[in-house]
Amino acid sequence: MNHTKFYKYLKNSDLKPNTIKKYISVYNTLEDLFKNDSEFLINPEQTIKTLLKEYTNNKTLVAKFNIILLLLKLYYETNENYESIKAKYIVEYTRIKDTIKEIQEKQEPTEKQLERQISTEQNKQIIDILKKAVKPIKTIEDLIPLRNLIIYLYQDKQQGRGDYITSHFTYEIPDNTLYNYFYLDKINKKAYYIQNHHKTDRKLVQQKFTLDNTLYRLFTRLFNAYKKLKFKNQYAFYQDNGKIQMNTDNLSKLYKRLGENTINAPLSIQVMRTQKSSNDIEKLIPLMETARKQGHNLNTTTKHYLKKGLKKL
């Protein structure tokens, strides 16, 4: 397949960089999977069969079908059978989306979430082991245990997505929104995460989060070490070589390894966030049932119907 149309579409689109990166990644996997079939897009029955055999995760399949539908439009929209071919993909795409929705509505954990959940005791064990690994910093290699501890504690306390990993650090209140920032207020001994860019919602405004004192001390130690080792950039987190900025991909891999190297179990940021969100699910279930009875979702209930100070009825 000629790559030109696909990359031209990405170049002229208003997609965010992370989304473009994901599109390219999915595109490349499809190219590898169907490398011996240059016309796989217009053979929907066989293509669907191959995808279902190759992938079992429904969200992965949805990502594949999204790109297939895009490629079909880009390369075969003028084909006389375009609409009928598209319809076959849409049927399977819709089936998978409906399956995902059904599973979500049951509020039941996935197999991966069950496998990768950890207990509060294991969480404490990981933190203790990571703390003991931190050493005096004389070399770039000495930075790694401190960086790992900060990343794990930050995830544990803030529960955020991986957006923060590409942040810059600063000792002054940022006067721009070019990046997300970790701001250390050395006068008041406070640390803040200032989020200007959000992964999923372009409408979200700047968010400022106050970090706890432990993270302030650890970040101070980390950034002082950068100065001591004469790092040239203002990246908050570097890869192991101390030269390249970390990104969300190697964050996920690092987080997974932190579990493997401490409690002999792989960790997942998504699973951790799900566990944290599920801590008070018993309180939410009655509210979810009320929303269902009233004919809308939980978001509508919390945004429009949930009010403080009304009498119970």
Side-chain angles (χ1 to χ4, degrees):
M1 183 187 299
N2 188 315
H3 304 291
T4 306
K5 286 186 178 180
F6 176 65
Y7 283 98
K8 184 177 180 180
Y9 165 82
L10 295 180
K11 183 179 179 181
N12 296 329
S13 73
D14 60 351
L15 297 172
K16 298 189 79 171
N18 280 345
T19 303
I20 290 175
K21 187 176 180 181
K22 288 179 181 178
Y23 273 35
I24 293 173
S25 176
V26 173
Y27 176 81
N28 288 336
T29 60
L30 290 173
E31 283 278 282
D32 289 340
L33 184 60
F34 297 102
K35 59 187 174 184
N36 297 321
D37 183 2
S38 61
E39 297 187 337
F40 74 92
L41 288 172
I42 54 175
N43 295 309
E45 292 87 354
Q46 184 57 44
T47 296
I48 290 170
K49 183 178 179 181
T50 301
L51 288 171
L52 295 179
K53 181 180 179 181
E54 186 72 17
Y55 303 103
T56 57
N57 184 284
N58 285 329
K59 290 186 177 180
T60 301
L61 284 166
V62 165
K64 307 301 180 191
F65 278 104
N66 276 331
I67 298 303
I68 282 177
L69 288 168
L70 171 61
L71 295 174
L72 187 67
K73 180 178 176 64
L74 290 176
Y75 291 92
Y76 293 101
E77 191 172 19
T78 59
N79 186 298
E80 61 180 355
N81 297 318
Y82 170 73
E83 290 297 337
S84 61
I85 294 171
K86 176 184 173 183
K88 292 176 182 179
Y89 284 121
I90 291 291
V91 168
E92 187 61 26
Y93 174 80
T94 303
R95 182 191 69 79
I96 296 169
K97 292 276 284 186
D98 288 344
T99 301
I100 293 173
K101 185 178 179 181
E102 288 174 9
I103 293 172
Q104 289 174 336
E105 288 177 346
K106 290 179 181 178
Q107 307 297 135
E108 294 176 354
T110 64
E111 185 176 335
K112 177 183 175 181
Q113 289 166 348
L114 288 171
E115 289 176 352
R116 295 198 180 184
Q117 64 178 329
I118 62 172
S119 65
T120 53
E121 291 76 15
Q122 287 175 308
N123 188 45
K124 184 178 183 302
Q125 183 182 354
I126 293 169
I127 293 171
D128 289 342
I129 292 172
L130 292 177
K131 282 181 177 178
K132 290 176 182 177
V134 175
K135 60 184 77 172
I137 298 171
K138 297 179 181 179
T139 67
I140 291 174
E141 187 175 338
D142 295 336
L143 279 172
I144 296 173
L146 177 59
R147 178 205 64 188
N148 292 350
L149 173 62
I150 292 173
I151 285 174
Y152 190 83
L153 284 176
Y154 180 83
Q155 290 285 176
D156 183 54
K157 296 174 184 296
Q158 294 299 117
Q159 310 161 30
R161 289 189 176 88
D163 315 67
Y164 73 91
I165 203 67
T166 55
S167 299
H168 287 212
F169 75 88
T170 177
Y171 294 107
E172 304 289 339
I173 298 175
D175 59 1
N176 64 75
T177 58
L178 293 175
Y179 310 103
N180 295 329
Y181 291 96
F182 284 102
Y183 161 49
L184 296 191
D185 179 353
K186 299 178 78 171
I187 296 175
N188 297 302
K189 298 188 182 303
K190 296 284 185 180
Y192 303 92
Y193 174 51
I194 300 173
Q195 186 171 13
N196 296 307
H197 303 279
H198 304 265
K199 178 182 177 182
T200 58
D201 193 340
R202 299 180 188 182
K203 296 179 182 178
L204 285 176
V205 297
Q206 184 187 84
Q207 301 287 323
K208 185 176 180 180
F209 302 94
T210 303
L211 309 183
D212 72 5
N213 291 334
T214 299
L215 283 171
Y216 170 78
R217 291 193 297 271
L218 291 172
F219 270 121
T220 299
R221 186 175 176 184
L222 182 68
F223 299 158
N224 284 343
Y226 289 167
K227 182 178 180 180
K228 177 182 177 182
L229 295 171
K230 299 181 179 178
F231 282 20
K232 295 180 180 179
N233 297 301
Q234 296 293 108
Y235 303 148
F237 297 102
Y238 289 82
Q239 296 185 35
D240 290 357
N241 59 17
K243 297 178 181 179
I244 303 172
Q245 185 181 32
M246 285 194 68
N247 57 53
T248 52
D249 288 340
N250 46 53
L251 169 63
S252 297
K253 293 174 184 176
L254 171 63
Y255 194 78
K256 179 174 178 284
R257 289 200 308 273
L258 292 181
E260 293 170 337
N261 295 339
T262 52
I263 60 170
N264 197 32
L267 298 179
S268 162
I269 292 174
Q270 189 272 340
V271 173
M272 176 275 296
R273 284 160 53 85
T274 302
Q275 274 194 264
K276 296 281 190 181
S277 297
S278 302
N279 283 341
D280 296 316
I281 190 171
E282 287 78 12
K283 297 177 182 178
L284 277 176
I285 288 176
L287 191 59
M288 292 163 62
E289 179 60 16
T290 297
R292 188 181 72 84
K293 289 177 179 178
Q294 293 185 356
H296 47 243
N297 57 33
L298 186 60
N299 182 57
T300 300
T301 295
T302 56
K303 188 174 182 180
H304 299 288
Y305 288 85
L306 205 60
K307 307 297 179 184
K308 298 176 181 178
L310 290 179
K311 295 178 180 179
K312 289 189 177 182
L313 182 60

